[in-house]
């Protein structure tokens, strides 16, 4: 037990090493939060284009572009996308690693979110769409007031899952030497030559974050479900 | 009989093709203000397509539809504006499940007619009272029976103050014991002078309420007339066969 205590002190207390974890956690949270925002907004727009094409046959060219985007993003690993954005696209530009990570993970997430939203939109009965249009709502209004609220409820579990995946996915940010939570733990390991303590700490923090988030999603789900039994 | 009223909807040589299948083969008709037109016909005859074309839920592949004098098949026309004046009731009700009954009714008046919430809700409650469902205002559609849902769907359309109501088999998805309450409400509307176009299999309703009954088959109006002559003395062979099966 005293051995455990000694290792704990060496890994986290000595030289204020817990800062690596705390600062890393901050970076991970910032990157995840901003990437989620980008992912949702961009994914939503992609889904609108894709489902408008599915429903009406309009926006043919835009739909093609979206489809290519989604195929490329989903067809390549997130790490490779991160490296390409950092070392190729922003090669000659001095840009913060955090911004690069946010962009990269945001774009990656948007492709998945797009397909999640699209499936949610397509799952809403077409009669809902016709009812909206027959009352005099235009296409956009019908989408906003009638289809989207139902689609959102349909996709909430899948969306929550996507955010959990994204949170964990950001752990590869160390590839561009961004000091996120994982990298922070790794730095401690390289200082103390103790793998167990820092990695366990990192793993537990991810786990706790995911559990808290899952809880929030299921609470939101329950609230939305209450509204229509 | 109010068939001498002004023409509300004029349909000219209406055609609709789904690929190679021709659902409507040139229908020319007039619907007058205050008239109740019941459309009957076998399934696949094009009667629903015809009705759904009237507010352009099905976009015709040929011909014209004039609603209150305006050619709504013209691409330049703002169809959404005209649809506000054409209520539609569906076989499967299509109430908005994520909204309360009151919200279902007030959504369009608030957003489209820019009524303020209090006024729209007051009118909605009056309409609900009329159909005896005022205590359901804060319920959700899933808590209602089929007959209640369809009455709410009718009320939702009425809240927009339409000039015509289109009914697409409004009682076909209902349990038999709930058909009566919906037909009763439709009958009331007819008596108040609402212009109605009704696709239905309820021959009793056609006989009792319609000003004109229309038999549609193979995308054409094969025969029409007042219910008395239509049912007593059908001439078309297909109609005779059809009536012998449903009556």
């Amino acid at each position: 037990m005293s051995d455990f205590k000694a290792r704990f002190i060496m890994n986290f207390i000595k030289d204020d090493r817990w800062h690596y974890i705390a600062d890393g956690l901050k970076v991970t949270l910032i990157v995840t939060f901003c990437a989620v925002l980008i992912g949702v907004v961009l994914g939503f727009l992609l889904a609108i284009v894709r489902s408008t094409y599915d429903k009406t046959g309009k926006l043919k060219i835009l739909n093609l572009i979206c489809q290519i985007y989604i195929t490329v993003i989903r067809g390549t690993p997130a790490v490779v996308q991160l490296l390409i954005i950092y070392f190729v696209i922003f090669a000659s530009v001095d840009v913060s690693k955090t911004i690069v990570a946010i962009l990269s993970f945001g774009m990656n997430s948007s492709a998945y979110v797009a397909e999640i939203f699209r499936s949610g939109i397509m799952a809403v009965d077409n009669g809902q769409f016709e009812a909206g249009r027959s009352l005099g709502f235009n296409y956009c209004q019908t989408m906003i007031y009638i289809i989207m609220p139902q689609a959102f409820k349909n996709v909430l579990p899948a969306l929550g899952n996507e955010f959990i995946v994204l949170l964990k996915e950001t752990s590869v940010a160390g590839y561009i030497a961004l000091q996120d939570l994982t990298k922070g733990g790794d730095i401690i390991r390289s200082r103390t030559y103790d793998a167990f303590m820092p990695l366990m700490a990192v793993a537990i923090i991810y786990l706790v974050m995911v559990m808290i988030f899952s809880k929030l999603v299921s609470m939101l789900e329950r609230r939305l479900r209450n509204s229509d039994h | 009989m109010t068939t001498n009223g002004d023409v509300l909807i004029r349909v000219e040589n209406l055609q609709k093709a789904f690929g190679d299948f021709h659902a409507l083969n040139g229908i020319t008709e007039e619907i007058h203000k205050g008239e109740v037109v019941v459309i009957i016909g076998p399934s696949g005859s094009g009667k629903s397509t015809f009705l759904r074309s009237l507010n352009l839920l099905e976009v015709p592949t040929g011909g014209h539809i004039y609603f209150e004098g305006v050619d709504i098949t013209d691409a330049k026309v703002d169809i959404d504006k005209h649809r506000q004046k054409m209520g539609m009731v569906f076989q499967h009700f299509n109430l908005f499940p994520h909204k309360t009954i009151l919200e279902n009714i007030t959504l369009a008046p608030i957003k489209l007619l820019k009524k303020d919430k209090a006024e729209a809700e007051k009118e909605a409650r009056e309409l609900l009272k009329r159909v005896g469902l005022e205590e359901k205002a804060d319920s959700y559609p899933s808590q209602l029976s089929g007959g209640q849902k369809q009455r709410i769907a009718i009320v939702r359309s009425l809240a927009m103050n339409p000039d015509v109501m289109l009914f697409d088999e409004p009682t076909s998805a209902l349990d038999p014991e709930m058909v009566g309450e919906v037909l009763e409400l439709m009958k009331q509307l007819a008596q108040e002078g609402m212009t109605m176009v009704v696709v239905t299999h309820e021959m009793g309703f056609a006989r009792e309420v319609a000003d004109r009954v229309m038999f549609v088959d193979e995308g054409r109006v094969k025969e029409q007339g007042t219910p008395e002559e239509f049912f007593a003395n059908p001439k078309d062979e297909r109609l005779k066969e059809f009536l012998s099966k449903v009556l």
Side-chain angles (χ1 to χ4, degrees):
Chain A
M1 195 62 212
S2 66
D3 176 48
F4 185 88
K5 197 178 160 195
R7 280 169 71 188
F8 187 87
I9 289 173
M10 179 182 69
N11 278 297
F12 301 118
I13 312 292
K14 197 163 169 263
D15 296 340
D16 280 343
R17 289 199 174 114
W18 60 273
H19 271 297
Y20 290 114
I21 300 281
D23 294 349
L25 176 60
K26 210 170 91 188
V27 171
T28 292
L29 286 175
I30 290 171
V31 169
T32 305
F33 180 74
C34 297
V36 161
L37 282 187
I38 293 179
V40 168
V41 172
L42 199 56
F44 182 73
L45 294 176
L46 289 164
I48 293 282
V49 172
R50 297 271 288 116
S51 52
T52 299
Y53 175 77
D54 286 351
K55 273 188 188 298
T56 66
K58 288 176 187 159
L59 306 178
K60 202 168 178 179
I61 299 190
L62 215 51
N63 176 62
L64 190 68
I65 295 170
C66 293
Q67 235 174 334
I68 293 171
Y69 175 87
I70 290 169
T71 307
V72 170
I73 297 280
R74 291 204 304 176
T76 52
V79 193
V80 177
Q81 290 163 18
L82 181 70
L83 293 174
I84 289 176
I85 291 184
Y86 187 64
F87 289 113
V88 179
I89 296 176
F90 287 120
S92 55
V93 193
D94 186 29
V95 59
S96 131
K97 286 170 187 155
T98 312
I99 304 266
V100 171
I102 287 170
L103 269 181
S104 174
F105 293 121
M107 283 170 67
N108 182 273
S109 181
S110 72
Y112 293 91
V113 171
E115 290 302 277
I116 291 172
F117 269 135
R118 188 174 69 96
S119 69
I121 292 168
M122 299 313 282
V124 176
D125 178 34
N126 202 40
Q128 292 289 311
F129 192 78
E130 292 188 342
R133 293 308 302 270
S134 76
L135 283 168
F137 288 107
N138 63 32
Y139 183 86
C140 283
Q141 291 168 325
T142 306
M143 276 295 183
I144 292 167
Y145 298 129
I146 295 155
I147 307 298
M148 286 303 171
Q150 297 180 55
F152 181 70
K153 199 172 348 185
N154 290 346
V155 302
L156 198 61
L159 215 50
N161 191 49
E162 166 57 24
F163 297 154
I164 288 170
V165 170
L166 178 63
L167 172 68
K168 293 183 294 173
E169 189 80 56
T170 60
S171 63
V172 300
Y175 269 86
I176 59 167
L178 179 66
Q179 289 193 16
D180 71 327
L181 178 58
T182 307
K183 188 73 180 173
D186 211 36
I187 290 173
I188 296 177
R189 185 182 57 80
S190 68
R191 298 280 154 87
T192 62
Y193 299 106
D194 183 356
F196 180 81
M197 278 280 172
L199 289 181
M200 278 303 144
V202 166
I204 288 168
I205 293 173
Y206 277 115
L207 181 62
V208 169
M209 284 195 292
V210 168
M211 282 166 64
I212 292 172
F213 190 74
S214 305
K215 186 77 193 159
L216 288 177
V217 171
S218 72
M219 274 164 63
L220 182 60
E221 231 176 285
R222 210 167 319 129
R223 254 189 65 183
L224 285 176
R225 200 161 345 130
N226 276 350
S227 76
D228 67 6
H229 303 264
Chain B
M1 288 286 287
T2 41
T3 39
N4 296 326
D6 300 335
V7 175
L8 188 68
I9 302 176
R10 196 168 87 238
V11 178
E12 268 177 18
N13 193 25
L14 189 68
Q15 317 216 5
K16 173 72 186 182
F18 298 97
D20 287 338
F21 175 70
H22 291 266
L24 300 179
N25 290 306
I27 293 184
T28 299
E29 277 304 327
E30 283 180 353
I31 289 155
H32 301 259
K33 255 187 200 124
E35 195 180 19
V36 177
V37 178
V38 168
I39 303 172
I40 63 169
S43 64
S45 61
K47 58 189 192 306
S48 269
T49 308
F50 173 64
L51 185 83
R52 289 160 52 83
S53 297
L54 294 180
N55 67 353
L56 254 57
L57 275 187
E58 300 289 353
V59 181
T61 41
H64 298 275
I65 299 163
Y66 298 88
F67 174 60
E68 300 182 326
V70 179
D71 183 359
I72 56 172
T73 54
D74 186 339
K76 289 196 284 291
V77 164
D78 179 7
I79 183 63
D80 301 317
K81 267 268 167 281
H82 295 284
R83 279 191 184 134
Q84 293 178 13
K85 294 269 124 201
M86 310 172 103
M88 182 142 195
V89 176
F90 300 87
Q91 183 178 354
H92 296 287
F93 333 125
N94 298 346
L95 294 180
F96 307 134
H98 60 300
K99 296 194 174 293
T100 64
I101 297 311
L102 198 63
E103 288 166 346
N104 262 277
I105 301 168
T106 57
L107 182 70
I110 291 173
K111 301 290 182 191
L112 296 173
L113 303 181
K114 308 290 176 204
K115 285 190 182 172
D116 67 61
K117 195 161 174 264
E119 186 194 351
E121 284 184 356
K122 189 169 153 271
E123 289 175 10
R125 284 184 197 279
E126 273 161 22
L127 283 169
L128 281 175
K129 203 166 174 182
R130 219 192 104 174
V131 296
L133 291 171
E134 68 254 64
E135 80 281 9
K136 298 290 183 190
D138 299 312
S139 306
Y140 284 88
S142 57
Q143 297 165 300
L144 269 57
S145 73
Q148 291 173 332
K149 281 184 204 172
Q150 195 60 299
R151 276 145 67 202
I152 297 297
I154 293 172
V155 164
R156 180 175 68 179
S157 291
L158 288 177
M160 289 296 282
N161 240 328
D163 294 337
V164 60
M165 290 279 285
L166 312 174
F167 293 85
D168 190 3
E169 301 199 24
T171 57
S172 297
L174 296 176
D175 289 342
E177 56 184 326
M178 292 172 181
V179 169
E181 60 191 78
V182 172
L183 291 182
E184 189 52 42
L185 174 58
M186 290 168 64
K187 201 166 126 188
Q188 271 179 37
L189 285 180
Q191 281 161 356
E192 286 161 21
M194 176 62 77
T195 311
M196 294 164 59
V197 185
V198 186
V199 170
T200 186
H201 296 294
E202 295 293 329
M203 296 305 149
F205 178 83
R207 223 189 268 270
E208 197 183 343
V209 183
D211 295 311
R212 180 153 55 113
V213 185
M214 212 181 258
F215 176 66
V216 173
D217 189 34
E218 294 169 333
R220 287 190 186 84
V221 178
K222 287 281 180 70
E223 186 164 340
Q224 60 176 309
T226 62
E228 297 79 18
E229 63 184 35
F230 184 91
F231 289 109
N233 197 6
K235 294 169 196 74
D236 183 82
E237 281 307 313
R238 270 300 275 131
L239 174 57
K240 282 183 194 164
E241 189 193 332
F242 180 75
L243 289 178
S244 73
K245 281 179 192 154
V246 296
L247 288 180

